[in-house]
Amino acid sequence: MTRLLTTWEKDPTSVPVGPLGIIAMAGCEEIGEKINQWLLKWHSLQELQDEEYYTSPGLNRDTFLVKAYCPRFGTGEGKAVLRESVRGMDLYILVDVCAHNVHYNMYGQEVPMSPDDHFQDLKRVIGAIGGKAKRVTVVMPMLYESRQHRRTSRESLDCAMGLQELVNMGIRDIITFDAHDPRMVNAVPLIGFENVMPNYQMLKALLREEKDLHIDKSHMMVVSPDEGAVQRNIFYSAVLSLDMGMFYKRRDYTTVINGRNPIVAHEYLGADVEGKDILVADDMLASGDSMIDLCKELKARKANRIYALTTFAFFTSGIEAFRKAYEEGLLTRVVATNLTYRRPELANEPWFIQADMSKYISYLIATLNHDRSLHELLNPYNRIKSLLDRYHNEQAATGITMV
C-alpha cells in the first residue's frame, strides 16, 4: 500500500511554524470546539481533499485546544491561568468581546462581562503566555472598540489604543472580520492585520434556505443602508451582477441619544425597487431600529422581499421588533454569522439564518500555521461564482423558472 505523503514531504517549505494551539476565551467555547474538530479531522486525513491543511497539535496531545481560564477575586479583580505549557507553540487566541452572556462574581453580585472586561482578560492570557510561545495571533471577529475608530472632537481613540496595546505585548498578527472601518490597520502598520469578509458564507447560508431567488437585474437589487456600508454592498452588486441603490441617513447632529445622533429621515438614491427582492448588507445590527426603518422605506417604494445580511447580529434591544416586522411582511430574512454571541431565542425564529464560520476560520488558522498565503481564502469571488452555478443548476433540476 502506497503511503500518503504529508504536506511537508510534498512541499518542504510548508513546515508548520510550530505545534498549533488554540485558546478559546470565555464566550468562544462553542466555536472553538467546532474549529478544533475540523482541524482534528484534517489531522487524521479523513478528508483527503483537505490534506494541505494537515497540521499537528504537538507531541502527546490529542486536541488543539489549550486549557486556560481567567478566575476572579471577590472584588472583581482577575488573573489568567494556563493549565499546560505553551512553549514553542503557534498560538491562536479566540476572543469575543461582545459575549455578554459570560458573568463573574463581584461583591456577591453576578456581573455580565463588558467588552472592556473581555479585552482585559485577553491581555491577561497574553501575559500568562509570557513570551514562551513561538508566535501569538489574536482572532477577534468583532474588533474591540471598532465603532470608536476616529476622532471628530475631544474624543478618545479607543480602537487604536487597544490595537497598540496588543502590539506592545508582542502580538504578531490580528485577524478580524468586517471591521467597521478597515483603515484601523493604520494604527498598527508593522504587524499582520487581516480584515476578513464573510460574504461567501452568508450568501451560501441564504441560498441554502431560499430556493426560489431569481438573481438577475430584473428580479433583484442590492441596496446600501447608508453611505458607510457602500463598499460592502458594491461587492455584492458586482459579484451578483445586480443594480445598486443606497440610502442617505439625515441625522440630527445637535442631539445624542444612546450614544448616537438620531436619524431624521432616510433619503433614497438609485433605481426603482418596485417588485424586486432586495439584499441589504451591513456590518452589524445593534438595536436594529434603522434596519426596520429602512425596510419600511423600501416597502413604501413597493419592494418585494427584503433580506438583511449582517456579520454581527447583536439585537441589543431584543428581537421583538424583528418578530413584528417579519409578521407584518416588512422583513423576510436576517442572515448573520456565529462569530459573536447570539441570543438563544434566535435559533427558533423562522426569519433568522445563521452562517457557520467555524470551517472557514479553521482554514485560516491551518494556512497561517504553515505560513502560506491567504490570498485564495480572502478572495471569495470564484467560490461565489461556483455557488451561483450550483444554485441555478438546482433550480433548473427542480423546475423553478423565471416569472
Side-chain angles (χ1 to χ4, degrees):
M1 181 177 179
T2 304
R3 184 174 69 88
L4 187 65
L5 295 178
T6 63
T7 301
W8 46 86
E9 286 174 317
K10 293 184 298 180
D11 181 6
T13 64
S14 69
V15 175
V17 171
L20 177 59
I22 297 173
I23 297 177
M25 302 285 290
C28 292
E29 296 88 351
E30 179 185 351
I31 195 168
E33 182 55 42
K34 287 183 177 180
I35 292 169
N36 183 52
Q37 291 304 315
W38 280 114
L39 293 170
L40 287 173
K41 184 178 292 188
W42 298 331
H43 173 65
S44 61
L45 296 181
Q46 294 176 15
E47 291 192 358
L48 299 184
Q49 67 269 29
D50 291 317
E51 63 183 5
E52 64 182 290
Y53 297 105
Y54 180 96
T55 193
S56 172
L59 186 65
N60 297 325
R61 301 185 75 247
D62 57 2
T63 179
F64 290 94
L65 293 173
V66 175
K67 296 177 182 177
Y69 77 112
C70 295
R72 296 272 177 162
F73 300 101
T75 57
E77 299 167 287
K79 65 178 179 179
V81 180
L82 300 181
R83 295 289 196 184
E84 55 192 297
S85 173
V86 296
R87 186 179 294 273
M89 280 190 175
D90 184 22
L91 278 180
Y92 293 79
I93 307 176
L94 305 175
V95 56
D96 176 11
V97 297
C98 294
H100 60 92
N101 59 313
V102 184
H103 294 73
Y104 63 90
N105 190 275
M106 184 172 69
Y107 291 99
Q109 301 180 61
E110 286 293 313
V111 181
M113 287 187 68
S114 70
D116 292 342
D117 291 319
H118 284 290
F119 189 72
Q120 194 67 27
D121 275 359
L122 169 64
K123 293 192 293 181
R124 291 183 175 114
V125 168
I126 297 171
I129 293 168
K132 301 301 189 297
K134 184 168 289 186
R135 185 173 69 179
V136 179
T137 299
V138 171
V139 183
M140 186 187 296
M142 175 65 184
L143 190 60
Y144 174 68
E145 289 289 359
S146 59
R147 297 173 75 178
Q148 185 52 28
H149 62 286
R150 62 182 178 180
R151 174 177 287 157
T152 57
S153 60
R154 298 182 184 90
E155 297 177 339
S156 57
L157 282 170
D158 294 57
C159 188
M161 291 190 295
L163 290 174
Q164 289 175 0
E165 278 188 275
L166 296 181
V167 171
N168 291 335
M169 296 186 76
I171 294 301
R172 288 279 301 278
D173 296 278
I174 295 174
I175 301 174
T176 192
F177 286 79
D178 200 355
H180 193 65
D181 189 336
R183 290 174 296 182
M184 284 313 307
V185 67
N186 295 337
V188 285
L190 300 181
I191 68 163
F193 185 99
E194 302 294 345
N195 179 40
V196 185
M197 301 299 292
N199 307 108
Y200 170 74
Q201 287 75 18
M202 290 200 289
L203 274 178
K204 184 178 180 180
L206 174 63
L207 299 186
R208 183 186 65 237
E209 298 294 330
E210 295 286 313
K211 298 298 185 182
D212 61 342
L213 294 175
H214 299 309
I215 306 174
D216 60 49
K217 291 183 178 181
S218 299
H219 299 84
M220 183 176 283
M221 270 188 67
V222 175
V223 173
S224 177
D226 54 40
E227 61 276 18
V230 165
Q231 289 300 319
R232 296 178 182 88
N233 288 274
I234 284 177
F235 176 84
Y236 285 108
S237 173
V239 77
L240 299 177
S241 300
L242 301 176
D243 291 330
M244 193 186 97
M246 69 164 286
F247 279 93
Y248 168 71
K249 295 177 181 176
R250 279 203 293 119
R251 296 181 179 272
D252 180 4
Y253 288 99
T254 64
T255 307
V256 177
I257 300 176
N258 294 328
R260 300 181 302 170
N261 302 112
I263 298 169
V264 177
H266 292 267
E267 305 289 353
Y268 178 70
L269 302 171
D272 189 7
V273 301
E274 183 175 354
K276 295 180 180 178
D277 293 335
I278 306 296
L279 295 182
V280 181
D282 209 350
D283 59 333
M284 69 179 72
L285 279 179
S287 66
D289 293 341
S290 59
M291 179 62 71
I292 292 176
D293 289 342
L294 180 139
C295 291
K296 292 177 180 178
E297 294 286 341
L298 288 171
K299 283 295 183 179
R301 292 169 172 81
K302 301 181 181 180
N304 192 22
R305 295 174 294 186
I306 301 173
Y307 299 94
L309 280 62
T310 182
T311 305
F312 308 109
F314 299 126
F315 296 103
T316 56
S317 299
I319 66 173
E320 283 301 324
F322 280 82
R323 281 178 178 159
K324 184 178 179 182
Y326 171 73
E327 292 166 359
E328 294 176 351
L330 292 176
L331 181 67
T332 303
R333 295 276 199 169
V334 173
V335 184
T337 70
N338 62 340
L339 291 170
T340 54
Y341 174 71
R342 288 92 51 224
R343 291 175 175 268
E345 58 267 31
L346 286 171
N348 300 316
E349 294 299 322
W351 47 267
F352 184 77
I353 301 173
Q354 177 175 284
D356 185 7
M357 299 296 295
S358 59
K359 187 176 184 180
Y360 186 40
I361 296 176
S362 304
Y363 280 136
L364 293 171
I365 289 175
T367 303
L368 288 174
N369 181 236
H370 287 268
D371 258 351
R372 292 185 173 217
S373 171
L374 292 177
H375 175 74
E376 292 299 324
L377 286 172
L378 297 180
N379 183 3
Y381 180 82
N382 291 331
R383 282 175 290 153
I384 290 176
K385 286 299 183 183
S386 297
L387 173 66
L388 293 176
D389 288 341
R390 294 195 302 269
Y391 185 72
H392 292 145
N393 291 337
E394 289 174 8
Q395 286 185 324
T398 53
I400 296 177
T401 58
M402 296 294 184
V403 295

